Amino acid sequence: MNDDNELENLEADGIVQEDIEEAKINPPKKPDFPFLIFMLVAFTDIGGFVGGILTLGFAGTILNFITAPILFFYLSGKVGFVKKRLYRKYIFATVVKIVPGINFIPQNTIFVVRGYMSEIEQVDKILSYLENLPKKI
């Protein structure tokens, strides 16, 4: 695969040239699984499900108002190119959890797991690109 194709693949995934230049200076590290955040959102999703049965979904909505800012601060610590991709998923998860009646879906837990997997994928792609870069020069 040539350099242009790899660069096009990165750009298709939302990684722009500025992100690559930043990664050359300060390469991203593979993240650890966010166990604390995962346990928090799993607890609130379970509470929202149980409370939602009793209150027709309003308990889940209330719990989401607690969880949403925590997830926002969790995202603020991410690398730029990962953060851009995860914010769209974050907004979707937050909207789903606000709507009574469908907020029994453990969307925040799914968001944390999918976000972690997406972050690993993005970091692997950019690290692979950076590893192959010296060979091409």
Side-chain angles (χ1 to χ4, degrees):
M1 189 180 297
N2 66 23
D3 189 34
D4 291 335
N5 285 340
E6 285 185 46
L7 189 57
E8 288 174 12
N9 289 339
L10 290 176
E11 289 175 352
D13 287 330
I15 301 172
V16 294
Q17 188 65 35
E18 296 164 359
D19 297 327
I20 295 170
E21 295 301 322
E22 181 181 331
K24 286 179 186 177
I25 297 167
N26 188 14
K29 297 177 185 173
K30 288 194 177 192
D32 295 327
F33 187 78
F35 286 107
L36 184 62
I37 298 294
F38 178 77
M39 290 186 322
L40 173 74
V41 296
F43 177 75
T44 57
D45 281 343
I46 291 169
F49 179 75
V50 173
I53 291 172
L54 301 173
T55 63
L56 302 175
F58 291 104
T61 302
I62 292 168
L63 285 172
N64 189 54
F65 284 114
I66 297 167
T67 308
I70 294 169
L71 286 175
F72 180 79
F73 288 117
Y74 164 69
L75 285 178
S76 66
K78 299 296 173 196
V79 181
F81 60 91
V82 172
K83 191 184 302 186
K84 287 183 245 177
R85 187 173 190 169
L86 291 180
Y87 271 130
R88 289 184 296 232
K89 294 177 184 181
Y90 166 74
I91 291 169
F92 175 75
T94 303
V95 168
V96 167
K97 292 302 283 185
I98 288 176
V99 179
I102 64 168
N103 61 5
F104 65 88
I105 300 168
Q107 191 63 38
N108 288 334
T109 305
I110 294 168
F111 167 74
V112 170
V113 172
R114 285 188 66 211
Y116 172 73
M117 299 303 288
S118 177
E119 183 177 10
I120 290 286
E121 178 185 336
Q122 293 281 67
V123 169
D124 282 345
K125 284 180 182 180
I126 200 159
L127 289 176
S128 173
Y129 178 78
L130 292 175
E131 285 175 4
N132 292 329
L133 201 58
K135 297 175 188 174
K136 298 173 186 167
I137 295 178

